[in-house]
Amino acid sequence: MIPSTASVVVVGSINVDQLITIERHPLPGETLIGKSMEFLPGGKGANQAVAAAQLGATVRLVGAVGRDAQAQVATAILTRAGVGQSAVQTVDGPTGLALVTVADDGENTIVVIPGANALVGADAVTANAHEIAAAAVVVLQGEIPADGIDTAARLATGRVVLNLAPVIPVAAETIRRADPLVVNEHEAALVLAQVEPGAGIPATDEDLVARLRAWGVASVVLTRGAKGAICSDASGTTSVPSPVVSAVDSSGAGDAFVGALSARLAAGASLLDAARFAVRVGAFAVQGRGTQTSYPTLADTMPEVLA
């Protein structure tokens, strides 16, 4: 159980996901017939906020939605999960939209149209400076403008969880402020190329993590899908295995991981213990369709890592 004092502020995106299911992903130039389509709440910021709140953390979200009917869809599960939304602005223009296609093997492709999220820049973030500074953990992602991310990292007095996905250019100091930087293998390589241009990419995930740490990142959690994660901080580097499950839809599993990790860190867990819990939450999430709709609550039983 995570104490109610576990305060998390997520500064990030709020979207509606247009979820299309299909037998397989089309080749370039190919047209296929889809199997189903529905509109669900999404956005990396909202996803992470819901995941953390449903696991017991007190969560507030800084973000924006548009003046359209989609805003109600985008915030429905946030409201049900008890995420504080007083810092969510309603702005002229559309709510963010993600076009998500999921194949029968569980793999997905995602195209994001920012909409209102493009207005969550430095000014919008600064307007919520007090809330950000008061948080035990501030969670950031790459779906809002870089100056909004940089400003939030600078305002934070607690721990900063930076999930730089997608990878966009942010200040070097923002990346050094991350504790941890949470990225997958591809994102980690892009971040390294950003901070050490022309230096070359290491051959293994472990070397990639070590290079990011050596550059100056306080801690790194590298997510590896079904292979779990690599967790590295001052106490050492550890491979964290994932439970084996049958994946239905992998979209949003990384956000479930980040939300769970942040909730546990806010409650005082070590990074390694938080990562061990987060891989189980991510494995739970891939067993359901959609993003927020697949996330567990404290009443659910998480899959176990078998010895």
Side-chain angles (χ1 to χ4, degrees):
M1 179 72 70
I2 296 170
S4 61
T5 53
S7 168
V8 176
V9 168
V10 180
V11 182
S13 57
I14 306 168
N15 290 336
V16 169
D17 291 348
Q18 180 179 316
L19 177 63
I20 298 168
T21 59
I22 197 165
E23 183 178 350
R24 62 173 177 83
H25 294 293
L27 300 172
E30 183 182 20
T31 299
L32 296 177
I33 303 299
K35 298 167 71 174
S36 67
M37 184 188 75
E38 57 186 322
F39 291 94
L40 299 170
K44 294 188 71 65
N47 291 349
Q48 293 169 8
V50 166
Q54 290 189 170
L55 294 169
T58 298
V59 183
R60 296 171 181 83
L61 178 60
V62 177
V65 294
R67 298 185 192 280
D68 56 13
Q70 297 288 53
Q72 187 172 356
V73 176
T75 58
I77 297 181
L78 286 166
T79 300
R80 190 174 74 199
V83 175
Q85 298 172 64
S86 60
V88 174
Q89 296 180 300
T90 301
V91 300
D92 292 332
T95 299
L97 176 68
L99 306 174
V100 183
T101 302
V102 181
D104 284 351
D105 63 3
E107 289 299 321
N108 66 79
T109 63
I110 304 173
V111 176
V112 176
I113 301 167
N117 299 310
L119 300 179
V120 188
D123 291 344
V125 171
T126 300
N128 297 285
H130 176 74
E131 202 153 19
I132 293 167
V137 173
V138 175
V139 186
L140 307 169
Q141 328 78 31
E143 287 186 343
I144 62 171
D147 64 345
I149 298 169
D150 291 337
T151 301
R154 189 166 58 250
L155 291 170
T157 61
R159 190 164 193 161
V160 173
V161 175
L162 176 60
N163 174 220
L164 198 53
V167 177
I168 62 173
V170 297
E173 186 53 38
T174 296
I175 298 173
R176 285 197 175 95
R177 185 75 176 80
D179 188 15
L181 171 68
V182 184
V183 282
N184 65 24
E185 306 101 305
H186 309 296
E187 292 156 356
L190 290 171
V191 173
L192 185 60
Q194 187 178 130
V195 299
E196 291 187 348
I201 302 302
T204 69
D205 290 344
E206 289 79 7
D207 289 343
L208 186 51
V209 169
R211 283 270 295 278
L212 287 167
R213 291 286 321 285
W215 176 80
V217 183
S219 62
V220 175
V221 176
L222 189 145
T223 58
R224 309 169 79 196
K227 294 189 290 184
I230 297 173
C231 177
S232 181
D233 62 8
S235 66
T237 299
T238 305
S239 180
V240 180
S242 173
V244 176
V245 297
S246 296
V248 172
D249 177 5
S250 62
S251 57
D255 295 332
F257 180 101
V258 172
L261 185 85
S262 302
R264 281 292 169 102
L265 291 175
S270 70
L271 183 62
L272 181 56
D273 284 345
R276 285 172 172 155
F277 176 66
V279 295
R280 297 171 64 202
V281 172
F284 182 99
V286 302
Q287 298 175 97
R289 291 237 178 255
T291 56
Q292 297 170 29
T293 51
S294 71
Y295 294 170
T297 69
L298 291 173
D300 290 305
T301 301
M302 300 300 122
E304 297 283 353
V305 176
L306 300 178

